Amino acid sequence: MKDKTLSVSAIQRGTVIDHIPADSLFDVLSILKLDELDSQITFGTNLKSQKYGKKAIIKLEGKFFKADEINRIALVAPDAKLNIIEDYHVVEKKDVGLPDEVEGIAKCMNPKCVTNHESIVTRFTVIDKKHVDLKCHYCEKVTDKPNLEII
């Protein structure tokens, strides 16, 4: 019997997003619009994790994230980790975490909120970083993770 192994190649230069909850993988792919990238993307889901039981991982060749993109990841995967890769080695590790305020990346769930009727950048105070509860600066309605819509 032949030895069968499945291997995922290492990336030379780019970012690995690790510790994504398995059920949030496609949310992360969507909010970062990774389907529009031309570079190599490798992802896996339902991988064994001692910490979470199951996790997902994304490897992106030649992609490095800006602060607003990291905040987007934090909205759907607040415990994710970023590994910055140079010459096949991890040169930096970053925790993804929500800042105290987020602007312009989430929609207020209150249909009467001014941000849903006028051209105003949304602005929220993060009142619970673990459960991702956001309080609207304009109407004070709290948008929780199940009702979160990334814009």
Side-chain angles (χ1 to χ4, degrees), residues 33-107:
K33 299 180 180 169
L34 297 179
D35 60 324
E36 297 175 8
L37 289 180
D38 290 334
S39 58
Q40 176 184 325
I41 301 172
T42 306
F43 62 88
T45 190
N46 295 325
L47 304 170
K48 289 182 183 175
S49 167
Q50 291 182 346
K51 189 172 183 180
Y52 302 107
K54 292 180 180 179
K55 70 173 185 176
I57 189 169
I58 303 171
K59 293 182 173 188
L60 300 139
E61 182 72 41
K63 174 70 177 166
F64 300 95
F65 293 101
K66 298 175 185 163
D68 65 319
E69 293 172 308
I70 294 171
N71 290 341
R72 287 176 177 266
I73 297 168
L75 287 173
V76 296
D79 294 324
K81 312 277 186 218
L82 299 182
N83 294 322
I84 309 303
I85 309 295
E86 292 284 353
D87 199 25
Y88 297 103
H89 293 90
V90 176
V91 294
E92 184 179 357
K93 292 185 175 195
K94 295 180 181 179
D95 289 329
V96 171
L98 278 172
D100 295 332
E101 291 192 358
V102 292
E103 290 186 11
I105 58 176
K107 181 179 177 179

Side-chain angles (χ1 to χ4, degrees), residues 110-127:
N110 179 3
K112 295 181 180 177
C113 181
V114 67
T115 60
N116 289 315
H117 300 285
E118 296 183 22
S119 181
I120 297 173
V121 175
T122 60
R123 185 172 161 199
F124 296 92
T125 300
V126 179
I127 58 173

Side-chain angles (χ1 to χ4, degrees), residues 20-32 43 45 56 58:
I20 302 168
D23 61 351
S24 298
L25 171 67
F26 293 102
D27 292 335
V28 173
L29 292 169
S30 176
I31 64 170
L32 295 174
F43 62 88
T45 190
I58 303 171

Side-chain angles (χ1 to χ4, degrees), residues 136-150:
C136 179
H137 173 75
Y138 300 100
C139 73
E140 299 189 349
K141 179 79 173 178
V142 175
T143 299
D144 58 5
K145 191 172 181 180
N147 291 298
L148 184 63
E149 185 178 335
I150 307 296

